Amino acid sequence: MAKAKSPSGRRTQPAQPVIAGNAVAAEATAPKKRTSIPQFASQVRAELRKVVWPSRKETWITSVMVLIMVLIAAIFFWIVDWALAKISLLILAIGQ
């Protein structure tokens, strides 16, 4: 069987199946590390500093694009609904 290539281009071995007992044992032995509330808050602040917030102009353009796409989708589904209603009326009129 051919070996799979990783994103770096190196050939890797196929993954070995995990036996259920070994997986449970590995999870049971891993210690659970808990963070304190102040440490958690400082980590949250550090992550929020990394966020790149969109500008007012980017937000406006994105909102307008969403509105346009919603209107296009609404018109499309209205036309499809109208056409299917007419077709169903024609089919039902054949039986009368």
Side-chain angles (χ1 to χ4, degrees):
M1 182 165 108
K3 295 178 183 176
K5 281 191 175 182
S6 66
S8 64
R10 297 182 188 161
R11 294 196 181 270
T12 59
Q13 295 292 333
Q16 297 295 324
V18 177
I19 300 172
N22 289 345
V24 172
E27 289 178 14
T29 59
K32 294 185 179 182
K33 185 178 177 185
R34 300 188 78 179
T35 58
S36 65
I37 293 174
Q39 186 180 11
F40 175 77
S42 70
Q43 289 174 354
V44 169
R45 274 189 246 111
E47 289 298 321
L48 283 175
R49 282 189 217 111
K50 297 177 188 178
V51 174
V52 178
W53 299 101
S55 67
R56 186 175 296 267
K57 182 179 179 181
E58 290 172 330
T59 305
W60 175 251
I61 291 172
T62 305
S63 299
V64 169
M65 290 304 297
V66 168
L67 180 64
I68 290 170
M69 293 305 294
V70 166
L71 288 174
I72 290 171
I75 291 168
F76 170 77
F77 286 116
W78 178 71
I79 291 170
V80 170
D81 181 53
W82 176 81
L84 290 175
K86 292 297 180 185
I87 291 169
S88 65
L89 286 175
L90 287 172
I91 292 172
L92 291 173
I94 293 172
Q96 291 182 357

